[in-house]
Amino acid sequence: MLRWILGGREAQGSVEKNPVLFIGEEQPKNWFTELQVLKGHFDIVRFLVQIDDFRFASAGDDGLVLVWNVETGERLLELRGHSQQITAMTAYTHTSGENTHTSLITASSDRTLSLWDPETGNRVQTVSDLQSSVKCLLVLERLCVWVSGGNELCVWNRDFQLQCQSHLVSQGISATVELPKNCIAASCILYEPLCCPCISSEPRLTMSTGSRLSVAEVRRLSDHQDSIHALININDGLFASGSHVGELILWDAVDWTIMAYEHILWEESQTDTQAEIRLAAPKPSEMSIQQLTSDGELMVAAVGSGLYVYSVITKSVVAYRKTAHDSNVLHTMLLPDGGLMSCSEDGSVRIWEMQDLLLPAEPASAGFFGMWTFGRSNKQAGPPVKKVLELPSLRTLELTGDLIGHSGAVQMFVSFGEKGLVTCSTDHLLIAWKNRERESHLRSLALFRKLEENGGL
């Protein structure tokens, strides 16, 4: 088990530890047994973007973009140009003939957009004096354009020329995903009670004469009761959104109808007094869906400090863990072996395996959720509550690995398969987690190769 070598966990604040999640020194299913600390940033690192099989970029509140080699840990380039924190970053790959080139697009609080060449470190294009900071970026490879979302939705070509824009909502756009038929789903940042709850708009791009694009709003989806914090594209036919109050909606990507609705709640005793119910009520952050991820069949929701696994195929819950971390979960990823990984504000990165749920003798409300409901959201009473005990196929998430190295909240991670995993944190550091056995073998091969070159063998 990798311990706190870079700082104490006390830096995360006074949080109550869950002894059930202590995994111990021996972690046979955890092959991340070696770490490499990557230093270069001097403020919070919020974004990681994979460039190719060997390189990735990091960015954060110091306004820097750093390009790294994941195998060696070498810092290849330092991209300077933004004067304030970076608010979004994405890779933009375009093909010309047989040549494929990947660039980086960054947005900053200084109200600029920049296009970087990760081969040379040059800032190829820049747009300044934007009306607002950009909060999200989306590349539409099929149309050879990309989209920025802030107080307005802007569509740009690969030469950084503005094609069209639309003012969809007054509060600004926080997330976008691509949909079929040249459509985009965009969620706004704040709750707007005078119009409709947390607007999710459907802009459609159309091609006019002269090959000019235009954008027009098609529909507003107002089925959420509060702010949408997560928005993902599941496959060609489905996308999903998650809200601040635990609503999870699965949408048809073509006609934008609701395919499934989940409301993650905690059961309150019917026999307790009203005062006792209020005392036991969860904080809003405990049921807020911070992030969603999907492999096309399963979807993972980071809900408060817990994890919730949903089958897109059967439209049902398949696994859960009410308390997966000591604080809010910020990022998740489904693994090829059927497990999943999560990171949290508590500074930990954890690996989970889905296992059959051993039903305890205690009430079902002790599970991840006390009740969950299906159907379209409305003001009427929901369908009958389904208890955990009525779901024999429900599984739990068993902790199989605990990666402890950061002294600050782990913002996100990116996986390079057998080459390892990279995490970034509020402690200004990046950590490359690797398989010690593989790395030892690679070091031995490099040594033998060097000896051969020098005539030592």
Side-chain angles (χ1 to χ4, degrees):
M1 178 180 177
L2 297 168
R3 297 184 179 277
W4 287 90
I5 63 171
L6 304 175
R9 191 178 278 241
E10 289 76 17
Q12 302 308 307
S14 56
V15 291
E16 183 179 352
K17 303 299 182 293
N18 187 347
V20 178
L21 294 181
F22 179 72
I23 194 172
E25 299 287 343
E26 297 298 325
Q27 302 180 25
K29 296 183 180 181
N30 175 16
W31 61 269
F32 295 107
T33 50
E34 180 175 304
L35 64 80
Q36 182 179 18
V37 179
L38 309 180
K39 298 180 179 181
H41 288 280
F42 53 89
D43 208 332
I44 296 173
V45 188
R46 299 186 185 274
F47 304 104
L48 297 171
V49 169
Q50 184 172 350
I51 299 172
D52 52 33
D53 292 340
F54 299 92
R55 296 178 300 161
F56 68 95
S58 60
D61 290 4
D62 55 13
L64 294 177
V65 180
L66 303 181
V67 180
W68 308 82
N69 182 308
V70 69
E71 288 203 317
T72 65
E74 179 185 1
R75 189 171 66 199
L76 303 175
L77 293 169
E78 184 174 300
L79 313 181
R80 291 180 176 268
H82 291 296
S83 60
Q84 296 183 36
Q85 72 180 73
I86 291 175
T87 55
M89 179 170 67
T90 190
Y92 184 13
T93 301
H94 55 88
T95 303
S96 178
E98 296 181 355
N99 299 321
T100 299
H101 183 74
T102 298
S103 302
L104 291 171
I105 303 175
T106 56
S108 170
S109 294
D110 60 15
R111 298 190 178 185
T112 64
L113 292 164
S114 295
L115 178 69
W116 306 89
D117 186 346
E119 303 291 340
T120 64
N122 294 331
R123 181 154 69 163
V124 181
Q125 299 281 355
T126 184
V127 175
S128 58
D129 299 325
L130 296 173
Q131 294 184 13
S132 64
S133 298
V134 170
K135 304 299 182 185
C136 57
L137 297 167
L138 175 66
V139 175
L140 307 177
E141 293 185 5
R142 186 175 54 83
L143 297 175
C144 295
V145 298
W146 56 279
V147 176
S148 63
N151 285 351
E152 59 276 330
L153 185 76
C154 298
V155 182
W156 312 80
N157 63 16
R158 65 185 183 186
D159 296 322
F160 261 52
Q161 296 173 335
L162 181 63
Q163 301 298 290
C164 54
Q165 63 180 341
S166 176
H167 295 269
L168 296 172
V169 290
S170 59
Q171 305 96 331
I173 296 167
S174 60
T176 54
V177 295
E178 182 179 6
L179 301 180
K181 299 181 179 179
N182 294 351
C183 287
I184 303 166
S187 63
C188 74
I189 297 173
L190 301 174
Y191 181 65
E192 187 173 354
L194 296 179
C195 184
C196 52
C198 196
I199 302 167
S200 176
S201 305
E202 301 287 347
R204 171 170 287 163
L205 299 174
T206 58
M207 189 76 72
S208 61
T209 58
S211 298
R212 292 286 297 181
L213 285 170
S214 62
V215 59
E217 183 181 321
V218 179
R219 186 184 303 178
R220 294 196 174 195
L221 310 177
S222 56
D223 297 270
H224 278 289
Q225 299 177 17
D226 210 321
S227 303
I228 297 174
H229 284 189
L231 186 66
I232 63 164
N233 194 332
I234 296 175
N235 52 44
D236 292 339
L238 295 171
F239 72 100
S241 55
S243 80
H244 180 64
V245 293
E247 302 165 302
L248 177 63
I249 299 182
L250 197 65
W251 305 87
D252 187 295
V254 178
D255 60 18
W256 317 314
T257 56
I258 293 180
M259 303 300 293
Y261 176 93
E262 293 272 352
H263 197 179
I264 303 167
L265 301 170
W266 278 258
E267 188 177 27
E268 297 170 341
S269 172
Q270 301 296 323
T271 59
D272 292 341
T273 65
Q274 186 65 30
E276 291 173 331
I277 291 176
R278 283 199 297 269
L279 288 173
K283 299 177 182 178
S285 61
E286 292 177 346
M287 57 184 179
S288 174
I289 299 178
Q290 289 94 228
Q291 194 248 358
L292 295 170
T293 188
S294 177
D295 61 1
E297 296 182 358
L298 293 176
M299 178 168 54
V300 179
V303 187
S305 62
L307 297 169
Y308 169 95
V309 185
Y310 182 83
S311 171
V312 175
I313 298 175
T314 63
K315 296 181 176 56
S316 62
V317 183
V318 294
Y320 72 94
R321 165 71 72 168
K322 179 180 179 180
T323 307
H325 288 268
D326 295 324
S327 192
N328 286 337
V329 179
L330 299 179
H331 192 74
T332 61
M333 175 180 66
L334 285 158
L335 302 175
D337 61 3
L340 62 98
M341 184 176 291
S342 60
C343 64
S344 166
E345 291 177 348
D346 64 14
S348 67
V349 181
R350 289 178 170 170
I351 306 170
W352 305 90
E353 181 180 80
M354 280 189 262
Q355 296 183 1
D356 291 337
L357 181 65
L358 299 176
L359 297 176
E362 61 187 12
S365 59
F368 174 60
F369 48 89
M371 65 179 181
W372 43 277
T373 59
F374 295 101
R376 191 182 180 102
S377 172
N378 51 50
K379 297 182 181 180
Q380 299 176 352
V385 173
K386 295 191 176 184
K387 301 291 178 126
V388 173
L389 294 175
E390 297 176 8
L391 302 172
S393 61
L394 195 63
R395 310 179 80 187
T396 187
L397 297 173
E398 193 69 23
L399 183 63
T400 59
D402 200 359
L403 311 183
I404 301 176
H406 285 290
S407 61
V410 181
Q411 299 294 298
M412 66 172 297
F413 46 74
V414 61
S415 174
F416 284 84
E418 65 175 6
K419 296 183 183 69
L421 177 86
V422 181
T423 56
C424 64
S425 170
T426 59
D427 60 12
H428 310 176
L429 299 175
L430 292 87
I431 296 182
W433 307 85
K434 301 181 180 182
N435 185 329
R436 179 178 300 169
E437 185 175 328
R438 178 181 183 272
E439 294 303 308
S440 178
H441 176 67
L442 292 176
R443 284 190 288 266
S444 297
L445 289 178
L447 177 60
F448 283 126
R449 192 177 301 114
K450 187 173 182 179
L451 290 173
E452 285 181 346
E453 292 174 354
N454 296 333
L457 287 180

